[in-house]
Amino acid sequence: MRLGGEGLDALSRERLGAGGRGYTSRVLDRWRHELLGRWSRVVAYHPWRVLLISLLLAALGVVYAATNLGFQSNRNDLISPEMDWNQRFIAWQSHFPGNADLLVVIDTHRDRGGRGEEVYAAADVAGARRLADAMGARLGALETVERVSWKVGVEEGSGRAVRLLDGAEFDEAAAGLAQAGPVLASATVAELLDAALAEAGRALRSGAAGGGDGVAVAEQLGALTAMFEAIDSGLASEGAAGDAFAGLSAAMVGEAERYFETPNGRLVFLRVTPAKRTGFGDEVWLAEVVSDVRSVMAEMAAEHAGFEMGLTGIDVVETDETAAAERDSTRASIVAAVLIATVLVLAFWSFRTPALLLVALGVAMAWSFGYLTLAIGHLQVISVVFAVILLGLGVDFGIHLLSRFERVRHDHPDGPMGFAATLRDTLEVAGPGVVTGALTTAAAMSTTVLTEFRGVAEMGHIAAVGVLLCLLSMLTVLPALLRLLRHATGKVKPMGDRKVHVYAEGWSRAASSRPWLTLSLVAGVLLVAGFGVGQVRYSFDLNALMPRGVDSVEWAQRIERDGAQSIYFGVSVVGSMEEARELGRRYMALETVERLGGVGLAIPREGEAKAERLAEVAAGLPSAAEGVADSALSADALRASVARWGPLLALAEFGVPAEGRAALGEARAAVGGVLARLSALPEAERGVRVAALQAGYAAWRAGVVELIEEATGGGAIELADLPEAITRPYVATWDGRTRLALEVYPRLPAGVATPLDPAFLDRFVEDLRAVDPEATGVIVQIYESNALIVRSYVLAGVLALAAVAVILWIDFRRLDDALLCMVPTLVGFWLTFGVMGWIGDPIDPANIIVLPLLFGIGVDAGVHLMHRYRQEPTARPLGLASGTGKGIALTSYTTIIGFGALMTASHRGIAGLGFVMSLGILLTLGACCYVLPAILEVRQRRLGDVPA
């Protein structure tokens, strides 16, 4: 039986010659070739058995994966829970209810008149708040929503909360409290009206005397109108008297309601708390809530044209990012499969041969998904791209085998014996390189399993096993398919008769014929690339990796950009407000801290100065009269006090500035309304209504007294002093203890655009931990996880290099040959980072995976080149003759297509990984075609080193 042509003679020399290789190496070679030869006979004579078993296992894998494979969207699950910093983050995120809230964001800036101009005006703020009111009511009616919070009334909490106001709002509240003197001095409604009459008289006279402040007069007249309207509503029915004066409290603390807004007032928030949660990170549950909320938002957008709004939040961003990654992976897989198939059809000038190759690859993918489901059970945002990686890598083993198979098929006759001889030649000549290449790739990827980053470890585990399963399929399914469908020599078109050539040996022969010139030029290129390598930086900025066009991601970034509020902050979990105040005081002394949130909302800025201002207000107020509840009010006294306002307001008609005319008219109408109400009431009922009104006033006045005493008195602010809507998200209980969340927001120095800038992030986290060594929060988690990513991938890269070197030494048993196999990868690696440095593309958490991947994938080409060189040491170009160059080129193209398809992703992290890996493989291919053959040529010429 003929066992092969030109390749077999070289193989025989490799088997029998010493060539500097020891006895163990020759025995290993004989064992490997004997095993591959025996396997070729099994496949050649029993193809149906091999194929049926393979397809059955593939079907089981597909069914099992379809029914059991899940997706893990929570990023915390990518990190080992055993790490103390991750344990603290998980405890904070899982126990404090605010972390599960969705954020509806409304932008107060509007596009006026279609000019594309942002115009910021009070009318827009008021409109955005009205929209928030309407949306809050509608969202609160959803069955999937438990609670919606978007505003609170300052009067809902303790008077001490006044100290939490800043700037003009605090000044307004302090001025309002200073004007409460008439209320404190008036035991009855009539006394209040008389006191207010005296104050208003002075104000009106001041306004009439030569151009007073008309706007201020209008504001005071508005307050007067509100008071008379309150009296009128209290007299309207006995039941309304208790609430008649409630709205007047707002005059003492500024606006009655505070909306949830960014510090600059640009963005308005609604916090949406889901009604139920079936499990932490349950994307099915979250998708239902998000869908309901977005439906309401779409309806509100149609009713309130001109306002932009969006939905975001930690869970929403992670879910949308995961969905984008899944879509990108699916699309990239389809694109890669189509392009790879096209390239294979052109390269082999056949539809059937590439189809058989892709069927074998599909079987391997089915096995891989079955194993993934059995061993791990889920995909996540890192491992979701493993299918695209296997598409590019798995087909490589088949290409090398097919390249040899087609080259020698015409050297053997038709029939089972001739096919068996062809397959034996193929496996014995190309098989060792294929096996070694698969082992080095799998070993490089599997090194990530030893890292502490669970997401990276899972990715390496899945990819390594997938590569080995692809190798197994190409050694079983592909030969069986060839035996059944491509066994005749007439079905294999001779290489020279093909129209398209993916590689021509002349491309490399010209460079290797002048090796010193080639290596000199390469050295110059490497030197230039070195300047770029020195410019490469590592970037933590997750914003730069987020998907494009994802609404929740864009709104999360707009909060930071337009709202002047960082979405990243640190957190200290404390056991009491005393501890929170002490940490807050130390935090606010840091240059890197802008403000406090969480229970830090109860820690006023410039608290001592505000307390002194309020103490001055208290000193200027009269003491509250005793016996308020016993003070009586008659209908006649009330009518007289109201009537006294008529003449004053009539005279004011001649002195009030133009800005106050409308307000004056409203005040006169309100006075007339009260008098008309009193006259219309029956005498018996009139007394009852007035008494009820007085009782309501007395109760309200007692509340005002308490409010003023709390606001101007001493004592620290406690959580009970704040409205529950504010404090609820920052209070949690577990292990029988109540804990509070103190949020710490960063202050960015000039020239720093994001708190994730490494120059700032390191310092900020160091400052946090100087105050609280157990500080946590999103920004700390990013800091720690990025450090873990760098450590994990650097470790994986070093281990991959070591593992590959060991495997190559075992295979070649010569250190110099093993090192030469890695030359193309090292050159490609250096040039890749050089290009990244020159174009300003940083290393980031997504593309740093190139460290182990490029070592494992890139060295495959060097392995095949060195195997061919050892088999045919005189064929030029060295290592690329007899179809090896075509195999290396074609496998590089398919791998580039596999990773290049990732560049279509909207997820910028995935797209960046695709670019870097495609560039790295392309440059490694260049080094294989030009650098390594030139080195081998120099070695032969100077040392006469020709392997036997």
Side-chain angles (χ1 to χ4, degrees):
M1 181 186 298
R2 294 180 63 199
L3 295 181
E6 57 185 354
L8 181 62
D9 295 335
L11 178 60
S12 299
R13 291 196 304 273
E14 183 187 19
R15 283 179 173 178
L16 300 176
R21 305 178 73 192
Y23 173 77
T24 302
S25 178
R26 296 195 301 274
V27 170
L28 177 64
D29 288 337
R30 292 193 185 100
W31 177 82
R32 179 171 58 186
H33 287 288
E34 184 65 24
L35 180 62
L36 290 171
R38 288 179 179 273
W39 177 248
S40 68
R41 292 180 60 84
V42 171
V43 177
Y45 290 106
H46 305 285
W48 279 113
R49 294 181 185 180
V50 172
L51 198 56
L52 288 176
I53 294 174
S54 300
L55 293 177
L56 177 61
L57 291 175
L60 291 175
V62 170
V63 173
Y64 186 63
T67 55
N68 294 280
L69 183 62
F71 199 98
Q72 205 170 59
S73 60
N74 187 6
R75 293 175 184 167
N76 285 340
D77 293 329
L78 304 180
I79 305 171
S80 171
E82 298 178 359
M83 298 183 176
D84 56 353
W85 52 270
N86 195 35
Q87 291 175 352
R88 289 192 292 269
F89 183 80
I90 292 173
W92 166 70
Q93 191 177 57
S94 59
H95 288 99
F96 286 93
N99 292 304
D101 286 354
L102 285 61
L103 289 180
V104 176
V105 189
I106 304 172
D107 195 342
T108 60
H109 286 215
R110 302 180 67 182
D111 182 2
R112 296 290 184 82
R115 298 192 303 271
E117 300 175 0
E118 286 186 339
V119 180
Y120 186 59
D124 293 320
V125 175
R129 291 175 176 177
R130 287 193 298 271
L131 172 56
D133 290 337
M135 186 178 297
R138 196 168 299 183
L139 289 174
L142 294 175
E143 293 183 358
T144 52
V145 172
E146 175 185 329
R147 179 178 60 253
V148 182
S149 304
W150 69 97
K151 63 181 179 180
V152 293
V154 174
E155 70 275 9
E156 294 176 15
S158 162
R160 282 189 286 270
V162 171
R163 279 180 274 165
L164 299 178
L165 302 176
D166 288 320
E169 291 181 340
F170 175 77
D171 293 337
E172 181 182 356
L177 292 172
Q179 295 175 5
V183 176
L184 299 179
S186 303
T188 67
V189 177
E191 292 178 9
L192 175 63
L193 291 176
D194 291 340
L197 178 67
E199 291 287 340
R202 286 193 293 271
L204 290 173
R205 286 192 296 274
S206 173
D213 187 350
V215 175
V217 171
E219 290 178 353
Q220 294 200 25
L221 287 170
L224 177 65
T225 300
M227 182 170 62
F228 281 113
E229 289 177 345
I231 295 172
D232 186 46
S233 66
L235 293 171
S237 66
E238 186 176 352
D243 298 327
F245 296 94
L248 299 181
S249 299
M252 300 178 189
V253 290
E255 296 180 4
E257 295 171 324
R258 300 292 181 203
Y259 286 79
F260 295 171
E261 298 173 338
T262 51
N264 63 2
R266 163 132 184 202
L267 303 177
V268 179
F269 297 108
L270 293 90
R271 297 186 65 140
V272 181
T273 304
K276 57 182 178 180
R277 191 164 188 151
T278 58
F280 188 73
D282 186 347
E283 62 271 15
V284 176
W285 162 86
L286 184 61
E288 181 181 355
V289 181
V290 169
S291 177
D292 287 349
V293 172
R294 282 177 169 159
S295 295
V296 171
M297 291 173 60
E299 296 172 1
M300 300 304 297
E303 298 173 9
H304 297 75
F307 286 102
E308 289 186 275
M309 65 186 78
L311 180 66
T312 188
I314 293 176
D315 283 355
V316 183
V317 169
E318 290 187 357
T319 300
D320 286 350
E321 182 185 13
T322 297
E326 288 183 288
R327 290 193 304 269
D328 291 339
S329 177
T330 301
R331 181 173 61 247
S333 297
I334 295 173
V335 171
V338 171
L339 293 178
I340 288 173
T342 302
V343 170
L344 293 177
V345 168
L346 294 175
F348 290 99
W349 204 246
S350 166
F351 286 100
R352 186 175 297 182
T353 299
L356 299 182
L357 181 55
L358 292 178
V359 168
L361 179 60
V363 171
M365 297 289 287
W367 293 347
S368 300
F369 272 99
Y371 176 82
L372 160 65
T373 308
L374 180 64
I376 298 178
H378 61 259
L379 285 170
Q380 27 86 354
V381 71
I382 295 178
S383 62
V384 70
V385 299
F386 100 98
V388 184
I389 294 176
L390 290 188
L391 278 173
L393 294 180
V395 76
D396 292 357
F397 312 131
I399 289 174
H400 283 293
L401 294 175
L402 284 173
S403 296
R404 180 64 185 177
F405 177 85
E406 293 195 344
R407 189 173 188 87
V408 299
R409 183 66 188 96
H410 291 276
D411 295 337
H412 303 278
D414 287 338
M417 295 182 64
F419 181 87
T422 305
L423 185 59
R424 181 184 180 97
D425 179 287
T426 299
L427 294 184
E428 287 187 334
V429 174
V434 169
V435 172
T436 301
L439 291 177
T440 55
T441 302
M445 292 179 172
S446 64
T447 56
T448 61
V449 176
L450 302 177
T451 67
E452 296 175 309
F453 201 122
R454 177 181 291 179
V456 174
E458 289 180 356
M459 171 66 177
H461 180 182
I462 298 169
V465 174
V467 165
L468 295 178
L469 291 176
C470 287
L471 170 66
L472 180 61
S473 181
M474 296 306 166
L475 293 176
T476 56
V477 178
L478 180 60
L481 291 172
L482 290 172
R483 169 66 181 83
L484 294 173
L485 300 172
R486 300 289 284 175
H487 58 84
T489 57
K491 294 184 179 181
V492 178
K493 196 174 189 67
M495 299 285 289
D497 296 341
R498 296 178 182 174
K499 305 297 183 182
V500 177
H501 299 280
V502 297
Y503 172 79
E505 293 178 355
W507 300 354
S508 301
R509 190 177 291 115
S512 59
S513 63
R514 298 177 178 81
W516 283 112
L517 176 61
T518 298
L519 294 179
S520 298
L521 293 175
V522 169
V525 172
L526 293 177
L527 180 62
V528 173
F531 292 100
V533 172
Q535 302 300 316
V536 176
R537 296 291 182 266
Y538 184 82
S539 173
F540 294 158
D541 190 1
L542 298 184
N543 290 338
L545 305 181
M546 289 293 183
R548 302 179 184 88
V550 176
D551 186 69
S552 60
V553 173
E554 292 181 352
W555 278 97
Q557 294 171 352
R558 286 181 66 169
I559 291 173
E560 185 175 77
R561 184 185 68 244
D562 298 337
Q565 175 175 306
S566 173
I567 60 175
Y568 304 108
F569 52 86
V571 175
S572 284
V573 177
V574 298
S576 65
M577 278 304 300
E578 289 77 10
E579 184 180 355
R581 280 189 286 270
E582 172 57 24
L583 291 182
R585 180 187 62 79
R586 295 169 60 189
Y587 278 133
M588 290 306 297
L590 299 173
E591 293 182 358
T592 55
V593 174
E594 174 67 26
R595 63 184 182 87
L596 302 176
V599 296
L601 296 171
I603 304 174
R605 291 188 178 190
E606 301 176 351
E608 294 182 1
K610 292 177 180 177
E612 292 177 0
R613 170 76 182 278
L614 293 173
E616 294 175 359
V617 169
L621 292 174
S623 299
E626 298 294 336
V628 170
D630 298 331
S631 300
L633 174 67
S634 67
D636 292 339
L638 178 60
R639 178 186 287 109
S641 295
V642 174
R644 279 193 284 272
W645 278 89
L648 178 62
L649 295 178
L651 291 173
E653 183 73 29
F654 302 100
V656 172
E659 297 91 340
R661 296 287 173 81
L664 178 61
E666 293 173 358
R668 295 182 67 181
V671 170
V674 175
L675 293 175
R677 177 81 63 185
L678 288 170
S679 299
L681 288 171
E683 184 174 352
E685 189 176 354
R686 186 185 305 144
V688 174
R689 297 283 183 88
V690 171
L693 178 69
Q694 173 58 27
Y697 169 75
W700 170 73
R701 180 178 179 275
V704 172
V705 171
E706 181 181 1
L707 174 69
I708 293 175
E709 289 177 349
E710 290 176 344
T712 59
I717 298 176
E718 302 294 341
L719 290 183
D721 295 324
L722 300 179
E724 185 186 5
I726 291 180
T727 62
R728 185 188 298 114
Y730 312 116
V731 181
T733 301
W734 72 91
D735 296 337
R737 294 175 53 197
T738 298
R739 295 174 173 85
L740 312 176
L742 174 66
E743 297 175 352
V744 185
Y745 287 83
R747 174 188 295 163
L748 299 183
V752 176
T754 171
L756 301 185
D757 188 318
F760 175 80
L761 181 59
D762 292 352
R763 182 185 175 192
F764 180 70
V765 173
E766 289 175 2
D767 285 351
L768 285 180
R769 288 179 168 167
V771 175
D772 179 9
E774 296 188 348
T776 184
V778 176
I779 198 167
V780 176
Q781 192 76 351
I782 291 173
Y783 171 83
E784 289 288 0
S785 60
N786 273 288
L788 179 60
I789 287 174
V790 173
R791 291 197 304 271
S792 297
Y793 277 121
V794 169
L795 174 62
V798 172
L799 292 177
L801 181 61
V804 167
V806 170
I807 292 174
L808 294 179
W809 179 79
I810 292 174
D811 185 27
F812 292 101
R813 287 304 177 102
R814 283 188 55 162
L815 182 60
D816 55 347
D817 283 2
L819 293 177
L820 285 174
C821 283
M822 293 189 288
V823 166
T825 302
L826 297 176
V827 171
F829 205 97
W830 181 264
L831 293 177
T832 298
F833 279 91
V835 172
M836 291 175 65
W838 280 112
I839 67 176
D841 191 11
I843 303 173
D844 55 48
N847 63 33
I848 195 175
I849 195 175
V850 300
L851 288 172
L853 273 186
L854 199 55
F855 278 133
I857 298 171
V859 79
D860 183 70
V863 168
H864 286 285
L865 190 150
M866 288 301 297
H867 268 286
R868 172 55 58 191
Y869 170 65
R870 297 181 73 94
Q871 293 167 3
E872 297 185 74
T874 59
R876 297 299 194 274
L878 294 178
L880 297 174
S882 302
T884 301
K886 173 192 173 182
I888 291 174
L890 190 54
T891 55
S892 297
Y893 297 156
T894 57
T895 304
I896 291 171
I897 289 172
F899 282 104
L902 296 177
M903 288 191 285
T904 65
S906 64
H907 193 293
R908 286 175 285 183
I910 294 177
L913 169 62
F915 167 73
V916 174
M917 284 301 301
S918 299
L919 177 64
I921 298 299
L922 179 63
L923 294 172
T924 300
L925 172 62
C928 264
C929 291
Y930 302 111
V931 179
L932 186 52
I935 293 176
L936 292 176
E937 193 72 40
V938 169
R939 190 172 80 164
Q940 277 200 11
R941 292 182 184 183
R942 292 182 63 86
L943 304 178
D945 187 3
V946 179

